[in-house]
Amino acid sequence: ETGVTQSPTHLIKTRGQQVTLRCSSQSGHNTVSWYQQALGQGPQFIFQYYREEENGRGNFPPRFSGLQFPNYSSELNVNALELDDSALYLCASSSFSGATGELFFGEGSRLTVL
Amino acid sequence: AQSVAQPEDQVNVAEGNPLTVKCTYSVSGNPYLFWYVQYPNRGLQFLLKYITGDNLVKGSYGFEAEFNKSQTSFHLKKPSALVSDSALYFCAVRDQTGANNLFFGTGTRLTVIP
């Protein structure tokens, strides 16, 4: 069984640039969620994708967008980067049919915005 | 709105002693509660969950948690701490609006002293 994998693991961008982060879901999972974890904070929900459509969104501006592909992998795109976007971005996969809400996380992509 | 609170930023315990990491929740209706652990520069690992049933939930690595409805608490416990248990622990509650996302607390850093 393959777990959740994310790429890249680390990256540095400058303010105003755009970034794309990628996630491959765990085998058998059809739902992908993205979280932002700022330094010293708990993860905060960005959005979730199910069947290639957004299925819920947290309190993040539209410059945070995403995609889900037919193989259930996903991308997180952030436009017009701001300094406060510096964080660990976590992808989590799950089975949508599972009402228990258990999420399986990747190791994250650490974004630094200068 | 649902939320969890972790009142302690830091917990120190001697190796071999019992440990408790506290969590209180605020939800309308029945909560789905979770504990995750995060090791340095890693993603989150699932420890245990409470959905319904027995108030004492057993999880991975010898951890357990006690659900207390009257006190709206879900404290994480372990009878005998190991140095390898030193990590960041997050309590979380499932979003009840159906998006299957989690609301996380701010985390408690556990240090087990040899």
Side-chain angles (χ1 to χ4, degrees):
Chain A
E1 184 177 88
T2 305
V4 179
T5 58
Q6 293 186 240
S7 63
T9 55
H10 296 80
L11 69 166
I12 299 173
K13 293 285 187 177
T14 56
R15 196 169 46 183
Q17 285 188 313
Q18 178 266 344
V19 68
T20 297
L21 308 178
R22 296 177 176 82
C23 172
S24 294
S25 61
Q26 182 166 311
S27 176
H29 287 175
N30 56 14
T31 302
V32 172
S33 303
W34 286 92
Y35 287 78
Q36 181 196 65
Q37 186 180 13
L39 195 62
Q41 300 295 318
Q44 293 198 18
F45 175 65
I46 303 174
F47 44 55
Q48 181 184 88
Y49 276 83
Y50 170 65
R51 290 187 174 179
E52 303 177 50
E53 293 194 0
E54 190 177 287
N55 183 54
R57 188 179 184 94
N59 188 26
F60 281 82
R63 59 188 185 85
F64 285 78
S65 63
L67 287 172
Q68 187 180 31
F69 300 99
N71 66 354
Y72 306 128
S73 66
S74 177
E75 288 183 353
L76 164 65
N77 298 291
V78 187
N79 293 323
L81 284 167
E82 301 177 359
L83 297 180
D84 285 348
D85 295 333
S86 294
L88 181 67
Y89 288 85
L90 296 167
C91 170
S93 72
S94 61
S95 171
F96 190 80
S97 61
T100 60
E102 183 175 339
L103 303 179
F104 296 83
F105 285 85
E107 298 198 350
S109 294
R110 185 166 297 280
L111 171 65
T112 301
V113 182
L114 302 177
Chain B
Q2 51 263 289
S3 64
V4 292
Q6 295 180 245
E8 302 161 316
D9 291 336
Q10 173 83 38
V11 169
N12 297 324
V13 63
E15 186 177 22
N17 282 2
L19 70 87
T20 299
V21 183
K22 296 180 180 177
C23 173
T24 59
Y25 66 88
S26 174
V27 301
S28 54
N30 296 320
Y32 290 177
L33 295 161
F34 302 80
W35 277 101
Y36 282 81
V37 60
Q38 186 175 37
Y39 296 99
N41 300 313
R42 303 292 294 275
L44 277 70
Q45 296 180 28
F46 170 77
L47 280 179
L48 50 81
K49 63 187 176 188
Y50 173 82
I51 305 301
T52 187
D54 195 346
N55 288 343
L56 185 63
V57 179
K58 294 189 182 297
S60 307
Y61 313 120
F63 283 93
E64 58 190 26
E66 185 172 9
F67 173 70
N68 188 316
K69 189 171 184 178
S70 63
Q71 297 186 4
T72 63
S73 66
F74 188 56
H75 300 332
L76 181 71
K77 300 181 179 183
K78 188 174 182 181
S80 178
L82 300 173
V83 173
S84 57
D85 292 330
S86 298
L88 191 56
Y89 290 81
F90 290 98
C91 179
V93 63
R94 187 196 164 197
D95 183 359
Q96 295 182 317
T97 64
N100 201 31
N101 62 289
L102 298 178
F103 292 100
F104 286 88
T106 52
T108 298
R109 184 165 300 282
L110 172 69
T111 301
V112 181
I113 303 164

